[in-house]
Amino acid sequence: ILSTLQTTLSSSSSSCCPSTPDDIHTLVSSSYAATLNKSQSCCVSVDSTLNGYTARDLAAAGVADADLGLGCGNPLSFAALRAGETVVDLGSGAGIDCFIAAAAVSEGGLAIGV
């Protein structure tokens, strides 16, 4: 994924991070395509703080294997979850968002990964 990021960014912009919707689309498309074409492993863990996760979020997930680094954002950063709520994560993959959401809704709440 990191090599895809470097290649994509060097060909699409001079900055360190995708800054336009087209750059982001190209990066995500290239990364998923490389995984599907088996030119990169889907099980490479990347620094999830690049997607906006904090160390506290990752500790709450408590499952390192759930962090495949294939996500393209952090939906929980703006979800404002509260204890007791039910959360459904569609397309949950390995489940990192689901694990973090489960910690956020705590006892009385429910996190469902599909």
Side-chain angles (χ1 to χ4, degrees), residues 23-33 71-72:
D23 287 347
I24 294 167
H25 182 267
T26 299
L27 173 61
V28 172
S29 295
S30 298
S31 180
Y32 275 97
C72 56

Side-chain angles (χ1 to χ4, degrees), residues 35-85:
T35 299
L36 292 172
N37 292 325
K38 307 249 186 246
S39 62
Q40 76 183 21
S41 171
C42 71
C43 299
V44 175
S45 181
V46 297
D47 183 356
S48 289
T49 60
L50 295 173
N51 281 333
Y53 296 100
T54 65
R56 183 178 176 187
D57 293 333
L58 299 174
V63 183
D65 292 342
D67 185 11
L68 298 181
L70 292 175
C72 56
N74 178 355
L76 301 175
S77 65
F78 55 87
L81 298 177
R82 294 183 303 256
E85 290 185 317

